Amino acid sequence: MDDRLSRVFSALADPIRRDMVARLAVGDATVNELAEPYAVTVQAVSKHLKVLEDAGLVSRGKQAQRRPVHLEAEVFDLMTKWIERYRLEAEQRYQRLDAVLAEMAVEGPEQAKTRIAKTRIEGEAS
Amino acid sequence: MTTTTHPETTISADQALPAVHITREFNAPVEAVFRAHVEQDLVAKWLGPRGLTMRVDRWDASTGGAYGYVHSQGDEEYRFFGSFHEVRPNERIVQTFTYEGFPDSVSLETLTFEDLGGGRTRIRSTSMFETKDARDMMLASGMETGVVEGYEQLDDLLAEA
C-alpha cells in the first residue's frame, strides 16, 4: 500500500500527467484525444499513460481500436483523503492554538509578563 | 481568498521535493503566536492530538536547544524528540523532528511567523523529509485516527447548530 502511494505521488510529479488526470476527471478519452493539446508525440503520451497505469490511477478500455483511458477515481480519492486527513489534523491542532491565543488575549499583558519572567523564554527575558 | 476572515489550514505535498507545506492564519498578534510555540505550558495545551495526553519531558525552545514529548493513550505511548536549530523571536523557528517509532528517520521543520497587521499573523511551515517515501508514509500514517477525529469535530459542529 505504501509502495502504491509512492507510485501515485511520483506519477503525479509530472505536469503533463497531472493535466491528463485533470482532463480524465471530466470523462474518458482516447490516447489521440489526450495527445491533442500537447506539443509531444502520441508515443510520448503513451509513455505518460503507462506511468499513470502502473500507479493504478488510470485503466484502459478493452475495445480493440479505441481503448479509452479511464480515471480510477477510487485510487485518486485515496490519496486526496490521505492529504485531507493530514490537513484536518493540522487544522484541529491550530483550532486548539486559536483557543490558547484567545485565552492569552483575555489574560492581559501584565500576567503575560509575569509568566514570561517565570519561564524565561529566550529573546523575551534576555 | 484575499479578503477571507476565516483562517483555514492549507496544506500541499510538494511535487518536486519530499516536503509538506502548511499555511494558517491566526487572529492574534505575532508575539502571542510565537509565545504559544515556545512556552512549554502553552505548547502542551494545543500540540497533542485530541484524546491523547501530552507530557513534555524536555523543553528548551532556544537556538541550540532541544525538546522531547510523549503522546499517550492508555498503555500506548508515542515519543517524539528533536533539536531547535534556530529560534528567532517572532520570526522563525527551525527544528528537527523524529518519531521514536521510526528512529532512523528525521525531518527538518522550518516555521515562519508573518505579521499581517491588525493583530493578525500568518504562519508557514515546511517539513522537509529525507525521501518522498518517508513523506508519503507520514501523510498516510494515522489515517484512522484522523477520520475518527474528523467525525468528532463534525459532531461538535452539529451540536452547536
Side-chain angles (χ1 to χ4, degrees):
Chain A
M1 184 58 81
D2 290 332
D3 200 41
R4 182 165 76 160
L5 185 64
S6 307
R7 280 205 304 274
V8 168
F9 273 101
S10 65
L12 293 171
D14 183 278
I16 286 186
R17 289 199 290 268
R18 279 203 298 279
D19 191 53
M20 286 166 66
V21 165
R23 286 166 58 213
L24 287 167
V26 181
D28 294 2
T30 62
V31 178
N32 283 329
E33 285 164 355
L34 279 174
E36 259 168 41
Y38 312 117
V40 295
T41 60
V42 171
Q43 210 176 6
V45 166
S46 292
K47 266 190 191 165
H48 283 306
L49 270 181
K50 182 81 173 68
V51 177
L52 292 173
E53 227 180 323
D54 288 347
L57 282 168
V58 304
S59 60
R60 304 290 303 275
K62 293 276 181 279
Q63 298 133 287
Q65 285 305 308
R66 275 176 46 86
R67 298 204 65 201
V69 183
H70 175 77
L71 182 69
E72 292 296 323
E74 195 186 306
V75 177
F76 200 65
D77 277 358
L78 196 62
M79 195 193 59
T80 318
K81 269 184 208 144
W82 270 317
I83 293 184
E84 176 56 19
R85 195 272 315 164
Y86 199 78
R87 194 196 70 81
L88 249 182
E89 229 170 56
E91 175 58 24
Q92 284 168 354
R93 201 162 58 234
Y94 287 141
Q95 282 178 8
R96 287 192 295 274
L97 177 51
D98 283 336
V100 170
L101 292 166
E103 275 174 34
M104 288 165 73
V106 171
E107 191 181 53
E110 279 313 307
Q111 279 161 286
K113 263 184 212 159
T114 318
R115 194 219 296 263
I116 286 167
K118 253 196 300 193
T119 51
R120 278 190 281 143
I121 77 160
E122 204 235 17
E124 300 261 5
S126 57
Chain B
M1 289 296 284
T2 46
T3 55
T4 181
T5 52
H6 184 62
E8 269 268 283
T9 302
T10 61
I11 184 166
S12 63
D14 203 299
Q15 303 288 351
L17 298 166
V20 174
H21 308 283
I22 298 181
T23 306
R24 177 65 147 75
E25 291 176 15
F26 295 91
N27 287 312
V30 68
E31 293 80 9
V33 179
F34 180 79
R35 278 183 53 208
H37 278 83
V38 294
E39 290 184 28
Q40 181 179 331
D41 53 343
L42 293 176
V43 172
K45 283 185 184 176
W46 65 271
L47 190 63
R50 185 151 81 171
L52 270 67
T53 315
M54 175 161 172
R55 190 184 79 230
V56 180
D57 290 336
R58 183 179 185 191
W59 192 263
D60 173 15
S62 63
T63 296
Y67 69 91
Y69 55 82
V70 186
H71 291 156
S72 60
Q73 189 171 38
D75 291 343
E76 287 177 56
E77 288 199 332
Y78 308 93
R79 294 167 178 275
F80 305 88
F81 70 90
S83 307
F84 286 103
H85 175 74
E86 186 188 8
V87 178
R88 197 188 301 167
N90 305 326
E91 281 182 37
R92 183 177 146 95
I93 296 173
V94 183
Q95 66 193 85
T96 61
F97 176 90
T98 288
Y99 165 50
E100 283 192 11
F102 296 110
D104 291 346
S105 198
V106 58
S107 64
L108 182 68
E109 308 195 331
T110 303
L111 186 65
T112 57
F113 300 77
E114 187 184 344
D115 189 346
L116 298 176
R120 289 176 54 78
T121 303
R122 179 186 297 131
I123 61 174
R124 289 174 196 276
S125 95
T126 294
S127 298
M128 190 66 76
F129 296 83
E130 292 166 295
T131 61
K132 280 193 183 177
D133 281 1
R135 188 268 313 270
D136 298 345
M137 253 162 77
M138 180 67 175
L139 281 175
S141 71
M143 177 73 184
E144 275 176 51
T145 329
V147 169
V148 170
E149 283 184 0
Y151 282 127
E152 280 173 7
Q153 194 187 34
L154 186 61
D155 287 344
D156 291 352
L157 280 173
L158 293 170
E160 280 170 30

